[in-house]
Amino acid sequence: MSDSQEIMVASSPDFVTELLPSAQRTALLYHLSYLCLAKFPKLEKVLRERAVETQLLFGSSEALLLKCAATSKNLVSTLLPALKVAVEKDKTILAIKSLEKARQWISEIVDKVEKMVDRYEKHNHSVASCTSDVILEKTETEKRKAQTTKEIEAQETVVRDLEDQLKKNNEQIGQIEAKIAEKNQELQNHVKEASSKSNGLGLFAALVPFVGPIVKSIYDAKTGPGVAAKTQGLSSELSQLSFDKSSLMSKEWSIHVRMTDMQLKLASMKIENGSIPDPVHLNDVQKCLSRIQNILIQLQKFWESVSVMLEALKDETFANEHFIEESEMKEIFLESICTAQGHWKAFGESCLNAKSIFSLQTKDAYKFLETSPSSLSPEEWKKEYDAVIVDLNKINPDPFTPEAPAPITQ
């Protein structure tokens, strides 16, 4: 980097060319991730924290670039010209003081830039940790959803079994009711026949048109053993059928109670299963966070390149400083200072360009954090999601094209 042309190329505005799309992509990818975390409150909170950290980091980057630009301007407009005058007038002590002042300024921003590199590295680890959280949550959500699905299937089997039991029970009740009707008819026919053969019973049957009292009268009238026995048999069969029907009716009610309980539990489980968010959205979040990590690595490299340039400019600025006290070498030193001025000027302009890029990203790019994605209606969610994809595609024809978003059930 000691070669002056290499420094000039590196410190030209081109070295911030990738900053704008990188910074823009970062905010948009965070936005996309944030939307996909609707109904994942814990992850939503973690991602919001990471996004705010990034925004603050960009704000610090903006401030540091302003510091770099201001230092460059002071060197170009004040300190280096004063150093040149001191050398031209052979004021060695003043020249040395100016050099030390320049060294102090440059060392200060070199130190700050190195700290910024460390901050980007630590923040990248923080985003990587967030990615791990997403992967873990995705696994747990899939397990929870699968487990709930199994429980629903088991509960549905129980409900179907109860429905089958109820159907069979009702069929049995129907069969018994048919037998009861048949036996009642048989008993009535028997009573009519027995009554017709007895004048007393015939008159009673005409006055009391109810089977029960007539049956009792048959017993009391001491009719033939065959008539009483048949009457007793038919009555006993009817009593047994009535008892069986009563038992089945009781069983029917018991099945109804159990089935109602199971149906309510099943409905509750289905509602819960519907409230478990689809883990497919976490695939997009994982991809977005990976992209953000790569961007942060690029930005870290940007600051590393700034650090390298600063060291190179520092070397260039103090090259040949040992010539200060040798009057015959004065021109070489003055030429070195003029060259350094040009490099510092270009570097300062580049820093201002980069500063404006970070400035844009600290204002409205993260306003989406003000609204929870869970509060959006399905239509609002879809509209916002599609808008982010459109903006991403404006930066790059195909930076990230996730699958069509599944409907969000609020």
Side-chain angles (χ1 to χ4, degrees):
M1 285 292 287
S2 59
D3 183 89
S4 61
Q5 179 155 356
E6 187 178 355
I7 298 170
M8 185 60 78
V9 171
S11 60
S12 72
D14 291 338
F15 92 116
V16 294
T17 302
E18 282 301 309
L19 270 184
L20 181 57
S22 293
Q24 288 175 326
R25 286 189 192 113
T26 301
L28 290 169
L29 289 172
Y30 267 129
H31 193 167
L32 195 65
S33 302
Y34 195 58
L35 285 172
C36 289
L37 290 180
K39 297 190 178 180
F40 290 95
K42 287 193 295 184
L43 288 178
E44 181 186 322
K45 179 176 180 289
V46 172
L47 189 91
R48 187 188 296 111
E49 290 172 354
R50 297 297 87 79
V52 169
E53 284 175 10
T54 300
Q55 191 178 15
L56 292 172
L57 194 55
F58 282 5
S60 298
S61 298
E62 178 189 356
L64 181 52
L65 285 163
L66 187 60
K67 173 74 173 175
C68 289
T71 300
S72 301
K73 183 180 178 182
N74 286 337
L75 283 168
V76 171
S77 63
T78 306
L79 204 61
L80 293 179
L83 177 59
K84 285 166 64 178
V85 170
V87 172
E88 287 168 349
K89 294 185 177 181
D90 295 324
K91 294 184 178 180
T92 305
I93 295 176
L94 182 58
I96 290 172
K97 285 183 179 180
S98 296
L99 272 174
E100 287 307 315
K101 188 67 175 175
R103 199 191 312 275
Q104 179 186 334
W105 286 1
I106 296 168
S107 296
E108 183 181 338
I109 60 172
V110 167
D111 181 59
K112 289 182 181 295
V113 167
E114 287 176 351
K115 288 179 180 176
M116 183 60 72
V117 171
D118 289 339
R119 283 186 63 184
Y120 270 94
E121 184 177 3
K122 288 176 183 176
H123 184 53
N124 201 8
H125 287 314
S126 179
V127 175
S129 174
C130 185
T131 306
S132 299
D133 291 341
V134 167
I135 294 170
L136 180 61
E137 182 70 21
K138 178 187 170 189
T139 303
E140 290 178 352
T141 302
E142 287 173 341
K143 285 181 181 177
R144 191 162 71 249
K145 205 170 184 71
Q147 179 62 34
T148 306
T149 302
K150 286 181 181 177
E151 290 171 358
I152 287 174
E153 290 172 353
Q155 194 78 358
E156 285 176 334
T157 301
V158 172
V159 171
R160 280 196 300 271
D161 288 345
L162 288 171
E163 288 173 344
D164 289 342
Q165 289 179 38
L166 187 63
K167 183 180 177 182
K168 289 176 182 177
N169 195 75
N170 287 336
E171 287 173 353
Q172 288 176 334
I173 289 174
Q175 291 168 1
I176 286 179
E177 285 177 338
K179 288 179 180 179
I180 288 173
E182 184 182 334
K183 287 297 172 185
N184 265 323
Q185 188 62 49
E186 189 177 345
L187 181 60
Q188 286 177 9
N189 293 338
H190 171 66
V191 167
K192 283 180 182 179
E193 184 181 350
S195 299
S196 65
K197 292 179 181 179
S198 170
N199 291 331
L201 284 174
L203 178 62
F204 183 74
L207 294 172
V208 184
F210 300 107
V211 173
I214 297 174
V215 168
K216 186 176 183 302
S217 297
I218 289 173
Y219 293 143
D220 294 342
K222 302 188 185 313
T223 56
V227 173
K230 186 173 181 180
T231 303
Q232 179 66 39
L234 288 171
S235 296
S236 296
E237 285 181 38
L238 271 171
S239 295
Q240 184 61 47
L241 287 170
S242 296
F243 176 79
D244 291 344
K245 179 183 174 181
S246 178
S247 297
L248 287 171
M249 294 290 285
S250 177
K251 184 178 180 182
E252 179 191 26
W253 177 248
S254 176
I255 294 172
H256 268 301
V257 171
R258 286 175 60 202
M259 192 165 70
T260 301
D261 180 44
M262 293 297 166
Q263 285 172 331
L264 288 173
K265 286 179 179 177
L266 179 61
S268 177
M269 290 167 72
K270 286 183 176 179
I271 291 170
E272 182 184 348
N273 191 50
S275 69
I276 298 175
D278 194 336
V280 70
H281 292 298
L282 296 183
N283 291 328
D284 290 350
V285 179
Q286 187 180 336
K287 291 175 186 175
C288 289
L289 289 174
S290 295
R291 294 285 175 101
I292 291 170
Q293 283 176 254
N294 289 332
I295 290 169
L296 288 171
I297 289 171
Q298 290 173 12
L299 294 174
Q300 182 182 338
K301 287 179 178 177
F302 158 74
W303 282 111
E304 286 172 349
S305 69
V306 171
S307 179
V308 171
M309 277 186 277
L310 281 171
E311 289 292 346
L313 289 172
K314 180 179 178 182
D315 292 343
E316 187 72 29
T317 303
F318 303 122
N320 305 317
E321 63 179 291
H322 55 283
F323 292 150
I324 290 177
E325 296 178 356
E326 300 178 28
S327 58
E328 67 274 11
M329 305 298 288
K330 184 190 300 182
E331 291 303 320
I332 296 175
F333 181 69
L334 289 173
E335 184 180 341
S336 173
I337 292 299
C338 287
T339 303
Q341 270 185 294
H343 295 335
W344 278 108
K345 185 174 184 295
F347 176 72
E349 290 170 353
S350 295
C351 288
L352 285 176
N353 289 335
K355 179 260 178 193
S356 64
I357 290 169
F358 280 114
S359 178
L360 289 172
Q361 294 303 306
T362 57
K363 291 182 180 177
D364 298 331
Y366 290 83
K367 283 198 76 173
F368 63 87
L369 294 173
E370 296 174 5
T371 305
S372 170
S374 300
S375 68
L376 300 173
S377 68
E379 295 76 18
E380 290 171 329
W381 189 95
K382 180 72 165 57
K383 183 179 178 182
E384 198 166 321
Y385 183 97
D386 290 343
V388 176
I389 295 297
V390 168
D391 287 341
L392 276 169
N393 285 319
K394 286 178 183 176
I395 301 171
N396 190 316
D398 187 22
F400 178 71
T401 307
E403 296 177 6
I408 297 295
T409 304
Q410 297 294 330

